[in-house]
Amino acid sequence: MELNLLALETSSSRCGVALLRAVGGRLEISVREHEGSQEHAERLLPMADALLAEAGIAPSGLHAVAFGQGPGGFTGLRVACGVAQGMALGLGIPVLPIVSHQAVAADVDGTSADAVVVALDARMNEVYLAVYRRGDAAGDESVWETLQAPMLIAAAEVVPWTAHHLPNWSARAGQPLTPLLAGDAWEAYSADMSAPAEWRRAAEAQRPQAASVARLARQGWLRGEMLALELAAPLYVRDKVAFTTAERLRGEGGNPKARPSLTPPVPQPMTDADLDEVVALEAQVQAFPWTRGNFTDALASGYGAWTLRREGKLAGFCILMFAPDVAHLLVIAVAQDLHRQGLGGVMLDWCEQQARERGLEGLLLEVRPSNTSAISFYKGHGYLQIGMRRAYYPAEKGGREDAIVMQKRFGEPGGAPA
């Protein structure tokens, strides 16, 4: 399949553009880069024009444009996303956002026995952290499992946090995993991030490269993961970069998001006393939320129902129905201000654990096709699409929306052995 794809990466101080050409099974990638965080906006398009001119390709010959969506520097992410959207609009081509941590992981020479811990410098003694595992399929570089989606964490907590979660990642993989450390934060905060001797360092993978963004985008293209330009957006995980004078006088600093509890909260059984908060959270995050009566009926029917609290405040909840062979995830939600902090993964892992303890074969769920972030989340946790339920969900103006049916079987790749 012929493919001309332009990739933009500006999440760090490096501004990079890569042109990927795939013709007749031959893959060629040419790159231009410039170091200078204040010059992304003025350098990006001229470098792209130069690459196209050198290759003898007109802009109209491009099939797609990709960009590193972060997390990373706020201004840089906006530049790459804005340029990608502008090109997509002018040329009538789709966009492929690529998580910057995934681009770093793709540069690591590892195996399926490695938990690739990508830590990128977020300044202020904080780190953008994500964890990946290469799939078991030999020779298939496109198969990756997201063990932890990108989040913000204090540099001093990275090593103990990783050690705490490693047993669970190993259980999910069905084999012992060893951390393989990538990203520039391991050097930037070496005193705070001193790792055990058995954790290997991938010195070759420091910051996202435009060429890696291009390769990942090609894999996404082959899987049909292109987006319309209006759906493309930077990935931000930092919600507050400065404190008020009063907050600083109280000793606060850095970012509240970067100070998670070392031990993740444990889901607790949902009771009638939780329902006021549960109903309010559900209404906050769903366009067509469950009613209080729905939750009351679920508890009365004996469904598995749990809440997750942080510092006493409801952070999320989930409800499972146990069938003879699989568990059915009916609803899962995380408070909007706590998204991208790993809490959804905590609850999903809990649901899988409950299903395993009952000897069930896997976990089944439905998701709206329009909920692309949720679909990506589930895929990252090893869920595969197995069907479609037509007109399953209510939609606006009295319409209906289909439901994608996804399943994770514990005895298959992505799930622990049954």
Side-chain angles (χ1 to χ4, degrees):
M1 176 186 294
E2 181 180 354
L3 174 63
N4 294 323
L5 182 147
L6 196 69
L8 317 173
E9 168 50 49
T10 59
S11 63
S12 68
S13 60
R14 180 192 295 123
C15 176
V17 182
L19 175 63
L20 180 149
R21 290 170 288 171
V23 182
R26 188 179 72 256
L27 192 66
E28 297 178 0
I29 300 178
S30 52
V31 177
R32 287 212 170 192
E33 294 180 329
H34 175 78
E35 188 70 32
S37 57
Q38 304 302 316
E39 304 173 40
H40 291 349
E42 62 185 85
R43 295 278 184 171
L44 198 61
L45 277 174
M47 290 196 301
D49 289 340
L51 281 179
L52 291 171
E54 289 172 1
I57 298 174
S60 59
L62 290 173
H63 298 98
V65 58
F67 70 98
Q69 68 172 156
F74 179 77
T75 302
L77 297 184
R78 292 177 61 192
V79 169
C81 180
V83 171
Q85 287 178 310
M87 294 181 69
L89 178 63
L91 299 173
I93 57 177
V95 179
L96 288 143
I98 301 298
V99 176
S100 298
H101 286 67
Q102 180 73 78
V104 175
D107 285 337
V108 172
D109 184 16
T111 71
S112 61
D114 297 315
V116 183
V117 183
V118 183
L120 299 179
D121 186 4
R123 311 301 181 192
M124 300 187 293
N125 291 102
E126 296 167 0
V127 169
Y128 297 123
L129 187 73
V131 186
Y132 302 92
R133 172 179 171 261
R134 192 179 293 276
D136 294 311
D140 187 353
E141 63 178 5
S142 69
V143 179
W144 284 92
E145 179 183 4
T146 302
L147 300 177
Q148 171 61 53
M151 69 175 188
L152 187 67
I153 185 172
E157 287 198 6
V158 170
V159 171
W161 181 92
T162 301
H164 175 84
H165 286 277
L166 187 59
N168 183 55
W169 297 334
S170 297
R172 282 171 53 182
Q175 63 176 317
L177 299 182
T178 302
L180 180 53
L181 313 180
D184 60 359
W186 296 101
E187 293 180 1
Y189 303 116
S190 57
D192 289 328
M193 296 169 59
S194 178
E198 63 271 21
W199 293 11
R200 302 182 350 264
R201 180 79 170 92
E204 73 278 10
Q206 292 289 314
R207 291 185 292 172
Q209 305 274 355
S212 297
V213 172
R215 285 190 290 268
L216 289 171
R218 173 179 171 268
Q219 294 159 13
W221 169 275
L222 294 174
R223 293 192 296 265
E225 295 174 354
M226 296 78 74
L227 293 180
L229 67 95
E230 65 271 13
L231 298 178
L235 175 58
Y236 299 128
V237 296
R238 185 194 295 278
D239 62 345
K240 186 173 186 177
V241 296
F243 279 74
T244 65
T245 300
E247 288 170 333
R248 290 196 298 271
L249 289 174
R250 292 198 300 267
E252 299 183 53
N255 189 310
K257 258 188 169 179
R259 298 196 298 267
S261 171
L262 180 58
T263 303
V266 176
Q268 299 296 322
M270 184 186 298
T271 69
D272 289 336
D274 297 311
L275 290 186
D276 285 344
E277 291 175 281
V278 167
V279 171
L281 194 158
E282 170 76 352
Q284 176 194 87
V285 300
Q286 298 290 351
F288 298 90
W290 274 29
T291 66
R292 186 185 184 92
N294 294 143
F295 288 106
T296 300
D297 290 343
L299 293 180
S301 298
Y303 293 168
W306 297 272
T307 59
L308 196 68
R309 292 186 177 274
R310 175 178 282 182
E311 299 178 353
K313 179 184 176 182
L314 183 68
F317 62 83
C318 54
I319 295 181
L320 277 178
M321 180 177 68
F322 299 108
D325 54 346
V326 298
H328 190 168
L329 181 59
L330 300 178
V331 61
I332 183 170
V334 175
Q336 286 182 335
D337 61 338
L338 298 177
H339 282 187
R340 300 192 183 279
Q341 297 187 39
L343 298 181
V346 169
M347 288 193 295
L348 192 59
D349 288 344
W350 177 266
C351 291
E352 293 175 10
Q353 176 185 329
Q354 300 306 308
R356 288 191 183 97
E357 290 178 355
R358 289 162 173 80
L360 303 180
E361 298 175 359
L363 195 64
L364 183 80
L365 58 90
E366 291 89 14
V367 60
R368 293 176 183 266
S370 59
N371 194 348
T372 55
S373 61
I375 294 170
S376 177
F377 168 75
Y378 292 128
K379 284 183 177 179
H381 283 77
Y383 286 77
L384 302 175
Q385 180 175 343
I386 63 169
M388 184 81 73
R389 302 194 197 281
R390 299 298 179 187
Y392 184 80
Y393 289 113
E396 294 182 356
K397 299 180 180 179
R400 307 292 297 182
E401 183 176 2
D402 296 342
I404 293 175
V405 183
M406 305 186 76
Q407 186 178 42
K408 181 175 181 177
R409 297 183 66 85
F410 302 140
E412 297 179 353

